[in-house]
C-alpha cells in the first residue's frame, strides 16, 4: 500500500507542476443568463491543444500561437455548451460568453445506464435516471451523501440508526424499497467496494451489507446519477434495484465552505439543544498546460455531536428486583411494602445521581475527515490516463443498553454500583484508488482500468465490564477486534458506433468487455478479556452469581474470539455484450447480456432488453425488461460472532454462525446461492414548452432465493424457565455450548421470494420572472409496495412447525414489507432574485408499519393488539435563504424540519409506569407489553421513516475564488 501511495503522490505532483498555464491572447468573462459569473467553466479551442478555465470572478485568458480563425467551446456542468468562432489577430480581443441553465433546456447529461460514448440527457435515456447536481447537494444543511439523497431522491431511503452496534456508524440505504445490498454504487463509473460491516441488529436492512457512501466527501462531488432500473446485465452483481453513480469534480475554482448548526427542538415536552454539527470543506481543480488534463483535490471534515431522544425508565425499582407477593399477603399490604421499597430506591437513585433518562437514543457521536483526488492526463488525442483516489477516517461513539444494578449477571457492583451505559467506539478507515487508460484503437474506443478499495472497522468497547471476571478485577475498556473488506476490480471495455445511410437501421453502438474481481473478507480477534468467560490463559474460572452464570466478554459487544477469526477470498470473471440500435430518429432499442462465474458458487447469466419510441415532439415512451442477480456477500457467507442483544427488553447471548458451521448443517441449511431477479419498467418522459419536463415510470421486481438473516432460534424452556432437554434447539446448541450461556442462534439462508411494484414521477418547471429573477419548481414522488410471496426453509425446518415459525417471523417480514415509506413526495421551490435566493422544500414521508414477532391478534398470546403499530405519514419542511453580497461569497441561514415534526410515538402500555405497584398478575408491571424497552424508546428502531432528531438550525458560509 505504501508503494502505491508513493507512486501516486509522485505522479500527481509530476502532472501538477509539469508546466505553466496559458497566458493572454483572448480574454473575457463567462456568466449565466441572469448575469451571475460562472467560476470553473471550461474554455477549449476546438482542434487545438489550447484551453483553460474561469477563475472565481468568471474571467479567463487564452494565448494563441498565431493569428487566424478559431472555434471556441465553453462548457460547465448544468449549463448548455456554447460554441463561437473568433478571429484572432495581433491584438488582445475580449469575448464574453453567456451559458443558459440546462435545467431550463432539459440538458441534464448523464452517463450511467448506457455504454454509448454519445452523451444523453435524462429524458433521452432508455431507463429512468435522476441527476442531482453539486448545487442540489449543497443547498440545504445535510452534510453527508445518504442524508442528502434521502431528501432529494424520492425512491431513495436512508436514516441513521440507534442502539444498533456498528450500524449506528454506517447508514443502511434503500432504493425502490429494496435492501442496501441490492443497489450498486459506482464512482466515476467504476464499482465501489462495500463496507466491512454486516447489519445483524434490529434495524432496517438487517442481514445486509451496503456501501458507505458517507465516506465520499460532498465537496468532491460534481453530480450524482441515480439509475432506477435493474442493470445487472450491464454492471454485474448487486444492481437489482438500480445504480448510483457518483461523478467527481474536474476543473473548478477554489471553493471553501463551512457550516455550524444544532438541534433546537421542544416537541417532546423537553428542550433539546444537542447534535451540534460543524463542517468545513475545500475543493480546487487545476488545468494542465496545453489542454493536457486536470487534477482536482477535495477534502471535508465533519464533526457531529450525539443526540438523545430517549424516554424515562418506567421500572418501579432501579437498584432492587421487584418484590414477590406472598401467598397470604393482601394486596394492600403488598403495595404498602412495595411503596416503602420504592421510596428507599428513589432516594438512593437521587443521592447517587442515577437518572431514569439512562439511555442515549439518537444519532451517534461522529468525527469524519477525508479527501478525494480526481485527475486526467492526456498523452494524445487517442490516449489519456485517468485516476481517482480517496481516504476517509471516521471515529464514532454509540451507546448500548443501560445496565442496571439489578442485572447482577451483567454487572460488577464494586466497579459500577449505580449501573453503567456501555459505549461502542469505532475507528473506520476507507481507502480507494482507481486508475485507467482510455482512448482510441483505430475506430474503437477502449477503457482499461483497475480499481481497488478497502473498508476496515475497529471496535473499542468503553465504560463497560467483563462480568465473568472476579469481583473488582475487570477492565472497563476492551479492544474487541476488527473487520476488513477489500476488493480489486479490473475492467476492459470496448465500444464503437456504426452509422448507416438510407436503411431501416441508422446506427448501432456495439460495446463489449470483461471484468475480473477479487474479494477478501477478514475478521481479526480482540484481546482475550473482551470475549473470555473468566480468564482461561491464567486459569481464572468464570464468576458465578448464586447458581447463575455471569455473561462472558465485554458487556454490549463481546469481542471476536480466535475461533471467529477468518480470512476468506473469492474471485469472479465476467464478460458482457451491449448493443444499442437506432431506427431513424424515433426508435431506439437496446439488448445486453452478461455472463459471470464465481469461484465459490458457480455462474450466472443476466440479460436486459430496453427500448424507447418518440411519440411526438420531445415526448417518448420507454420500457425495459431485465434479469439480474446478487451474489451472496462474503460477509453473509462467513460472518460469525457472539453478541449481547436485547429481546423484548431482556439481555440475550446470541450466537451468529456461518454456513460452514455444523450447527447450520443440523438445521438442514446449505451454502448460500445468489438471489435472482426479474424486473420490468414502463414509462413516459419528455418536455413541453421547453421549460416543463416530466418522467413517469412504473416498475415491477420479482426476486427469488432472497437471502434473509433468520429470526433467533431460542432455547426451549418450560415452567420456571427450566431448559427442556429434548428441545431441538437445545440439543443443537448443546453441541457447542453445554453450559447454556448462549441463549439463541441465528444464520443466513436463501428463504423468501418477494415482489416489489411501484411508480416514480418527476416533474420540473422553470419560470423566468424577469432579467434578474427566476423560480424553479419540482415535484417528485415514489409509490412502492413489497410483499413476501413465499417462505421456504430446508426440509428439516419445513418438517418442524416450531422451526418453520421461527425461520422468518412477523417482525422479519415487516422489515421487508413495511419498514420504509410506501410512498414519498418531494416538493421544492427555488426562487432567485438579484442577490437573494429562497429555497423551500417539503417532503411527505409515507406510512410505515411495525409487526411484533409474536402475533398479538391471537387471543391465546395475551398481548395488546397495539404491539402491531402503523406510523402515520408526516410532512418535513426545510427552508433556507442565501445572500451573495459579491461574486465570491454566499451567506446562508436556514432550518431543516422547521416545524419540528416527529414520527408517531410508540404505544406504551398503561401498566408500564414506575408507580404501578400492583401485585396482581393481570395488572402488575410487565415490560413485555409494549416495544419501548421499559419506556426508554419513544420511537421505533426497526423501521426507517425520517428519523427523530427534530428541528435543526444552521448557518453557512461559502466562498469561491
Amino acid at each position: 500500500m505504501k508503494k502505491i501511495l508513493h507512486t501516486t503522490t509522485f505522479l500527481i505532483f509530476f502532472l501538477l507542476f509539469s508546466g505553466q498555464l496559458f497566458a493572454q491572447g483572448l480574454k473575457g468573462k463567462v456568466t449565466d443568463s441572469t448575469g451571475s459569473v460562472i467560476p470553473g467553466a471550461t474554455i477549449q479551442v476546438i482542434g487545438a491543444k489550447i484551453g483553460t478555465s474561469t477563475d472565481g470572478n468568471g474571467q479567463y485568458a487564452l494565448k494563441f500561437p498565431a493569428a487566424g480563425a478559431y472555434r471556441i467551446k465553453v462548457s460547465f456542468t448544468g449549463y448548455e455548451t456554447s460554441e463561437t468562432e473568433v478571429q484572432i489577430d495581433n491584438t488582445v480581443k475580449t469575448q464574453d460568453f453567456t451559458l443558459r441553465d440546462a435545467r431550463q433546456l432539459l440538458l441534464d447529461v448523464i452517463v450511467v445506464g448506457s455504454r454509448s460514448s454519445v452523451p444523453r440527457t435524462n429524458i433521452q435515456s432508455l431507463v429512468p435516471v435522476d441527476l442531482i447536481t453539486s448545487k442540489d447537494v449543497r443547498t440545504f444543511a445535510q452534510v453527508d451523501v445518504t442524508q442528502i439523497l434521502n431528501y432529494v431522491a424520492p425512491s431513495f431511503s436512508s436514516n441513521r440508526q440507534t442502539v444498533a452496534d456498528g450500524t449506528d456508524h454506517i447508514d443502511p440505504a434503500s432504493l425502490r424499497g429494496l435492501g442496501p445490498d441490492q443497489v450498486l454504487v459506482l464512482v466515476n463509473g467504476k464499482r465501489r467496494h462495500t463496507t466491512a460491516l454486516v447489519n445483524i441488529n434490529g434495524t432496517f436492512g438487517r442481514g445486509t451489507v451496503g456501501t458507505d457512501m458517507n465516506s465520499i466527501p460532498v465537496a468532491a462531488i460534481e453530480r450524482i446519477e441515480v439509475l432506477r432500473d435493474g442493470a445487472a446485465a450491464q454492471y454485474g452483481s448487486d444492481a437489482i434495484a438500480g445504480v448510483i453513480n457518483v461523478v467527481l469534480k474536474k476543473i473548478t475554482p477554489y471553493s471553501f465552505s463551512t457550516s455550524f448548526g444544532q438541534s433546537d427542538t421542544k416537541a417532546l415536552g423537553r428542550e433539546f439543544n444537542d447534535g451540534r454539527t460543524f463542517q468545513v470543506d475545500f475543493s480546487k481543480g487545476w488545468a494542465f498546460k496545453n489542454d493536457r488534463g486536470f487534477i482536482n483535490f477535495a477534502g471535508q471534515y465533519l464533526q457531529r455531536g450525539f443526540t438523545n431522544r430517549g424516554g424515562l425508565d418506567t421500572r418501579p425499582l432501579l437498584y432492587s428486583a421487584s418484590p414477590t407477593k406472598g401467598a397470604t399477603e393482601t394486596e394492600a399490604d403488598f403495595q404498602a411494602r412495595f411503596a416503602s421499597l420504592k421510596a428507599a430506591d428513589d432516594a438512593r437513585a437521587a443521592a447517587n445521581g442515577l437518572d431514569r433518562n439512562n439511555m442515549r437514543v439518537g444519532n451517534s457521536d461522529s468525527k469524519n475527515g477525508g479527501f478525494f483526488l480526481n485527475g486526467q492526463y492526456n498523452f494524445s488525442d487517442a490516449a489519456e490516463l485517468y485516476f481517482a483516489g480517496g481516504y476517509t477516517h471516521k471515529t464514532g461513539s454509540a451507546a448500548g443498553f443501560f445496565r442496571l444494578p439489578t442485572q447482577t449477571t451483567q454487572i460488577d457492583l464494586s466497579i459500577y454500583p449505580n449501573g453503567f451505559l456501555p459505549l461502542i467506539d469505532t475507528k473506520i478507515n476507507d481507502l480507494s484508488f482507481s486508475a485507467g487508460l482510455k482512448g482510441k484503437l483505430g475506430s474503437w474506443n477502449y477503457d482499461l482500468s483497475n480499481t481497488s478499495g478497502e473498508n476496515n472497522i475497529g471496535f473499542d468497547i468503553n465504560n463497560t465490564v467483563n462480568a465473568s471476571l472476579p469481583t473488582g478485577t475487570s477492565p472497563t475498556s476492551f479492544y474487541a477486534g476488527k473487520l476488513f473488506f477489500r476488493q480489486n476490480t479490473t475492467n476492459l471495455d470496448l465500444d464503437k458506433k456504426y452509422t448507416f445511410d438510407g436503411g431501416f437501421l441508422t446506427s448501432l453502438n456495439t460495446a463489449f468487455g470483461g471484468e475480473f474481481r477479487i474479494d477478501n473478507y477478514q475478521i481479526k480477534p480482540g484481546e482475550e478479556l473482551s470475549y473470555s468467560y473468566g480468564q482461561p490463559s491464567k486459569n481464572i474460572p468464570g464468576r458465578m452469581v448464586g447458581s447463575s452464570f455471569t455473561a462472558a466478554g465485554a458487556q454490549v459487544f463481546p469481542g471476536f474470539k480466535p475461533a471467529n477469526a477468518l480470512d476468506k477470498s473469492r474471485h469472479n470473471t465476467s464478460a458482457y455484450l451491449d448493443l444499442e440500435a437506432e431506427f431513424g430518429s424515433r426508435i431506439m432499442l437496446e439488448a445486453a447480456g452478461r455472463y459471470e462465474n464465481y469461484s465459490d458458487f458457480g455462474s450466472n447469466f443476466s440479460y436486459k432488453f430496453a427500448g424507447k419510441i418518440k411519440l411526438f415532439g420531445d415526448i417518448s415512451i420507454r420500457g425495459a425488461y431485465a434479469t439480474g442477480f446478487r451474489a451472496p456477500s462474503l460477509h453473509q457467507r462467513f460472518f460469525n460472532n457472539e453478541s449481547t442483544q436485547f429481546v423484548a427488553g431482556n439481555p440475550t447471548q446470541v450466537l451468529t454462525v456461518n454456513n460452514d458451521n455444523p450447527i447450520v448443517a443440523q438445521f438442514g441449511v446449505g451454502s448460500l446461492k445468489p438471489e435472482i431477479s426479474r424486473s420490468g419498467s414502463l414509462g413516459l418522459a419528455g418536455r413541453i414548452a421547453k421549460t416543463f419536463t416530466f418522467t413517469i415510470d412504473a416498475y415491477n421486481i420479482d426476486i427469488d432465493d432472497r437471502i434473509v438473516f433468520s429470526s433467533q432460534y431460542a432455547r426451549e424452556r418450560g415452567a420456571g424457565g427450566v431448559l427442556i432437554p429434548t428441545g431441538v434447539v437445545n440439543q443443537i446448541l448443546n453441541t457447542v455450548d453445554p453450559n447454556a450461556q448462549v441463549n439463541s442462534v441465528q444464520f443466513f439462508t436463501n428463504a423468501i421470494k418477494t415482489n416489489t411494484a411501484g411508480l416514480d414521477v418527476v416533474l420540473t418547471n422553470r419560470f423566468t420572472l424577469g432579467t434578474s429573477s427566476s423560480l424553479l419548481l419540482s415535484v417528485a414522488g415514489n409509490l412502492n409496495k413489497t410483499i413476501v410471496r413465499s417462505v421456504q426453509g430446508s426440509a428439516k425446518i419445513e418438517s418442524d412447525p416450531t422451526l418453520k415459525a421461527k425461520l422468518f417471523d412477523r417482525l422479519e417480514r415487516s422489515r421487508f414489507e413495511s419498514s420504509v415509506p410506501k410512498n414519498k413526495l418531494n416538493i421544492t421551490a427555488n426562487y432567485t432574485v438579484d442577490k437573494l435566493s429562497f429555497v423551500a422544500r417539503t417532503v411527505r414521508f409515507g406510512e410505515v408499519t411495525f409487526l411484533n414477532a409474536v402475533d398479538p391478534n391471537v387471543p391465546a398470546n395475551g398481548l395488546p393488539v397495539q404491539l402491531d403499530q402503523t406510523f402515520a405519514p408526516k410532512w418535513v419542511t426545510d427552508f433556507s435563504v442565501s445572500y451573495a453580497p459579491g461574486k465570491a461569497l454566499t451567506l446562508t441561514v436556514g432550518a431543516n424540519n422547521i416545524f419540528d415534526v416527529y414520527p408517531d410515538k410508540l404505544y406504551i402500555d398503561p401498566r408500564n409506569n414506575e408507580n404501578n405497584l400492583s401485585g396482581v398478575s393481570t395488572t402488575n408491571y410487565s415490560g413485555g407489553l409494549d416495544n419501548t424497552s421499559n419506556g426508554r424508546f419513544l420511537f421505533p428502531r426497526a423501521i426507517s421513516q425520517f428519523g427523530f432528531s427534530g428541528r435543526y438550525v444552521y448557518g453557512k458560509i461559502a466562498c469561491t475564488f
Side-chain angles (χ1 to χ4, degrees), residues 290-309:
N290 299 330
D291 195 25
R292 285 292 188 181
F294 67 90
I295 185 170
N296 188 285
F297 172 84
Q300 177 173 322
Y301 175 75
L302 170 64
Q303 180 175 327
R304 184 190 72 210
F306 71 84
T307 59
N308 184 9
R309 302 295 180 269

Side-chain angles (χ1 to χ4, degrees), residues 153-173:
S155 57
F156 182 93
S157 181
S158 178
N159 287 284
R160 299 188 181 112
Q161 306 300 309
T162 185
V163 196
D165 291 1
T167 311
D168 282 28
H169 309 286
I170 298 177
D171 302 342

Side-chain angles (χ1 to χ4, degrees), residues 173-175 179-185 211 238-244:
S174 170
L175 186 66
D181 51 6
Q182 290 165 328
V183 57
L184 174 62
V185 177
T211 300
D238 305 345
I240 289 177
V243 178
I244 297 176

Side-chain angles (χ1 to χ4, degrees), residues 255-523:
S255 177
F256 166 86
S257 76
T258 184
S259 64
F260 176 81
Q262 68 175 29
S263 297
D264 177 27
T265 174
K266 302 177 182 178
L268 301 178
R270 289 176 285 164
E271 184 172 354
F272 298 96
N273 298 111
D274 54 11
R276 291 179 178 85
T277 300
F278 170 75
Q279 172 268 340
V280 60
D281 64 41
F282 169 84
S283 67
K284 167 61 180 171
W286 295 270
F288 300 143
K289 72 171 186 177
N290 299 330
D291 195 25
R292 285 292 188 181
F294 67 90
I295 185 170
N296 188 285
F297 172 84
Q300 177 173 322
Y301 175 75
L302 170 64
Q303 180 175 327
R304 184 190 72 210
F306 71 84
T307 59
N308 184 9
R309 302 295 180 269
L312 302 181
D313 199 319
T314 57
R315 284 170 283 199
L317 304 180
L318 300 180
Y319 283 94
S320 307
S322 294
T324 301
K325 186 177 180 180
T328 61
E329 189 175 21
T330 67
E331 177 66 10
D333 288 343
F334 173 78
Q335 290 201 21
R337 181 164 62 92
F338 200 163
S340 177
L341 290 173
K342 177 170 172 53
D345 196 273
D346 288 347
R348 185 178 177 185
N352 295 325
L354 177 55
D355 193 344
R356 288 186 174 272
N357 184 16
N358 55 37
M359 292 277 284
R360 187 192 293 179
V361 182
N363 296 338
S364 62
D365 189 270
S366 178
K367 297 180 178 66
N368 186 347
F371 69 89
F372 244 93
L373 288 168
N374 184 40
Q376 176 180 308
Y377 185 79
N378 304 323
F379 294 107
S380 67
D381 292 337
E384 62 185 48
L385 170 72
Y386 60 88
F387 55 89
Y391 171 73
T392 297
H393 177 69
K394 177 164 45 175
T395 61
S397 182
F401 279 82
F402 190 87
R403 267 57 172 177
L404 285 173
T406 55
Q407 295 169 311
T408 54
T409 62
Q410 296 182 277
I411 195 169
D412 185 333
L413 292 173
S414 69
I415 300 175
Y416 295 111
N418 303 305
F420 63 93
L421 183 68
L423 300 175
I424 301 174
D425 294 342
T426 58
K427 294 182 178 68
I428 303 174
N429 294 294
D430 201 286
L431 307 89
S432 63
F433 183 75
S434 178
L437 191 68
K438 65 180 179 180
K440 281 188 171 294
L441 284 174
S443 58
W444 285 86
N445 300 307
Y446 71 89
D447 186 344
L448 176 64
S449 65
N450 189 82
T451 302
S452 59
E454 174 185 314
N455 180 268
N456 62 70
I457 307 172
F459 294 92
D460 292 301
I461 314 305
N462 294 306
N463 199 49
T464 187
V465 294
N466 181 336
S468 72
L469 297 175
T471 301
T473 65
S474 174
T476 57
S477 296
F478 303 87
Y479 168 66
K482 200 168 190 177
L483 302 174
F484 290 84
F485 181 70
R486 299 184 178 98
Q487 186 174 84
N488 190 84
T489 308
T490 303
N491 294 92
L492 174 62
D493 303 298
L494 299 161
D495 73 84
K496 178 180 180 179
K497 186 169 185 177
Y498 297 90
T499 57
F500 308 96
D501 296 326
F504 179 63
L505 177 64
T506 53
S507 73
L508 176 66
N509 191 85
T510 303
F512 65 94
E515 178 177 288
F516 180 73
R517 187 166 77 248
I518 301 174
D519 296 339
N520 174 256
Y521 178 61
Q522 298 181 32
I523 298 177

